[in-house]
Amino acid sequence: MCEANAYLKKGDREELILEQVDEVEPFEDGLLLRNIFGVQKIVKAKIQSLALVNHKIILEELPNS
Amino acid sequence: MCEANAYLKKGDREELILEQVDEVEPFEDGLLLRNIFGVQKIVKAKIQSLALVNHKIILEELPNS
């Protein structure tokens, strides 16, 4: 399986917010993450970077508008 | 290996721009893609969505500023 873990950047830290993510889609003003178990999470963020061989998706919080 | 193919949305079509992508990073006003063979590509785009089990990264072109 080729899922990755999604981390949200918080300053210098990266906080794990959802493991084994399969799909990431735009949703309202953020993203909808869905993992291989069907667990969904909505975050007000954009995708900053990917490192797929290391199974990492790095998300960056969006400012409140 | 858990790389994915990167496609650039062009209207209704999705154009394959780089296969077996490992890393995607912000670069200037777009993205730097790097695949598992070390081939790099710079695109003026953002990541629109992911479908990792299907090995797809969908990119969306950014308007010229």
Side-chain angles (χ1 to χ4, degrees):
Chain A
M1 295 297 281
C2 281
E3 67 289 346
N5 298 324
Y7 299 84
L8 188 62
K9 277 185 73 169
K10 299 240 179 183
D12 290 345
R13 295 185 309 117
E14 292 171 355
E15 184 180 297
L16 178 62
I17 54 162
L18 190 61
E19 293 184 288
Q20 294 183 270
V21 173
D22 170 19
E23 295 185 317
V24 180
E25 289 167 18
F27 185 81
E28 292 177 356
D29 55 353
L31 297 169
L32 171 65
L33 315 179
R34 190 180 299 114
N35 76 7
I36 58 169
F37 307 110
V39 176
Q40 300 194 150
K41 204 157 208 175
I42 292 164
V43 285
K44 196 173 172 205
K46 63 176 185 173
I47 301 170
Q48 195 229 23
S49 61
L50 303 174
L52 296 179
V53 173
N54 289 329
H55 301 276
K56 283 185 97 167
I57 300 168
I58 307 295
L59 307 177
E60 189 180 347
E61 272 184 306
L62 294 173
N64 284 308
S65 52
Chain B
M1 296 296 280
C2 283
E3 68 289 345
N5 298 323
Y7 298 83
L8 189 62
K9 276 185 73 168
K10 299 241 180 183
D12 290 344
R13 293 184 310 116
E14 292 171 355
E15 185 180 297
L16 179 63
I17 57 164
L18 190 62
E19 290 183 291
Q20 295 183 269
V21 172
D22 171 17
E23 294 185 317
V24 180
E25 288 168 16
F27 185 81
E28 292 177 356
D29 55 354
L31 298 169
L32 172 65
L33 315 179
R34 190 178 301 111
N35 75 9
I36 58 170
F37 307 109
V39 176
Q40 300 193 149
K41 203 158 207 172
I42 292 164
V43 285
K44 194 169 175 214
K46 63 176 184 172
I47 301 171
Q48 195 231 21
S49 61
L50 304 174
L52 297 179
V53 173
N54 288 329
H55 302 275
K56 284 185 96 167
I57 299 167
I58 306 296
L59 307 176
E60 189 180 347
E61 272 184 306
L62 293 173
N64 284 304
S65 52

